[in-house]
Amino acid sequence: MLSEKIIYIGVLINLICSIWYIRDIFYSSTRPNLVSFFIWTIAPFVGVFLQLKAGAGLSVLGTFMAGFFPLLVIIFSIIKGNAFWKLTKFDFICGVFSILALIIYVITNKLGISILFAILSDGLASVPTIIKSFKYPESETPAIYLGGIINNTLALLIIRNWIFSIYAFSIYFIVVNIIIVFSIYYKKMLRLLNLGNKQISI
């Protein structure tokens, strides 16, 4: 079992990646979708409370940071006025369902079901950003998502009590961040594949 202190390395990496993301909000075309980031702020914070009730230790820092850094993104996006405000009906539907899921799991007494609804809420909120990343990859910076992958991977490595209420959020965050990073680089990967095929045919 690794020392729990390794989680601080993940927090530091996540901090650096988040600062990089915020820098790109100010100095490049990065435009976060605040529908996603708003729920990404709320759901993890309530998830921290639930994880602590389940007996989580320092591994809970992975979930806490997953909510804290989106909060910073919201604040700096509002200051810069560079948020992604071109919202579709689908974005609003995802936002409404995310909030409903949050309400349901807050009033549910069972930790496992509560965590499941928290993940559902956060996952629905991720959909607008995933779609935006596919359509407009230039509007996103992968840094904050890569930091989330590293941070939550380290959080998994120090879990001592492997129960759903403790490990589920970290696994979810790793998966959803990988999907977003893939969405950002999807078009670039296609271009590289097409270029490679052309060179082979020549």
Side-chain angles (χ1 to χ4, degrees):
M1 176 70 69
L2 292 174
S3 170
E4 287 192 339
K5 292 182 180 179
I6 196 173
I7 192 65
Y8 295 123
I9 297 175
V11 171
L12 178 61
I13 292 172
N14 210 352
L15 175 62
I16 293 171
C17 291
S18 297
I19 292 172
W20 187 352
Y21 189 93
I22 291 169
R23 186 212 64 171
D24 284 353
I25 291 174
F26 280 89
Y27 297 110
S28 74
S29 59
T30 297
R31 302 174 64 199
N33 187 313
L34 294 192
V35 172
S36 293
F37 277 86
F38 176 70
I39 304 297
W40 286 347
T41 299
I42 297 174
F45 282 162
V46 183
V48 167
F49 172 74
L50 294 172
Q51 284 181 309
L52 289 174
K53 287 187 67 175
L58 276 178
S59 63
V60 78
L61 276 176
T63 304
F64 175 80
M65 293 304 168
F68 179 69
F69 291 129
L71 175 61
L72 293 182
V73 169
I74 290 173
I75 293 171
F76 285 103
S77 295
I78 292 173
I79 292 173
K80 175 63 176 176
N82 197 31
F84 193 83
W85 290 111
K86 188 180 178 181
L87 303 177
T88 66
K89 185 182 294 185
F90 181 73
D91 293 331
F92 284 110
I93 291 173
C94 287
V96 169
F97 273 98
S98 296
I99 292 172
L100 285 176
L102 278 174
I103 293 172
I104 291 171
Y105 94 84
V106 165
I107 63 176
T108 302
N109 292 324
K110 294 183 178 179
L111 285 177
I113 295 175
S114 299
I115 290 289
L116 191 60
F117 272 110
I119 291 172
L120 173 63
S121 171
D122 201 279
L124 286 171
S126 302
V127 174
T129 290
I130 292 170
I131 292 174
K132 181 174 74 77
S133 299
F134 263 116
K135 292 183 176 180
Y136 313 105
E138 69 283 353
S139 71
E140 274 294 344
T141 298
I144 196 170
Y145 309 110
L146 292 170
I149 293 169
I150 296 170
N151 190 31
N152 283 281
T153 299
L154 291 177
L156 284 178
L157 293 176
I158 64 171
I159 290 177
R160 298 181 183 278
N161 188 12
W162 279 84
I163 61 174
F164 180 80
S165 301
I166 293 177
Y167 68 74
F169 245 120
S170 291
I171 291 177
Y172 158 73
F173 284 134
I174 293 169
V175 172
V176 76
N177 282 319
I178 288 174
I179 292 172
I180 294 173
V181 171
F182 174 79
S183 300
I184 294 171
Y185 286 113
Y186 176 71
K187 290 182 179 179
K188 288 184 179 180
M189 289 188 293
L190 281 183
R191 285 196 294 268
L192 288 173
L193 287 173
N194 290 333
L195 180 61
N197 290 334
K198 288 179 181 178
Q199 290 177 343
I200 291 173
S201 62
I202 293 173

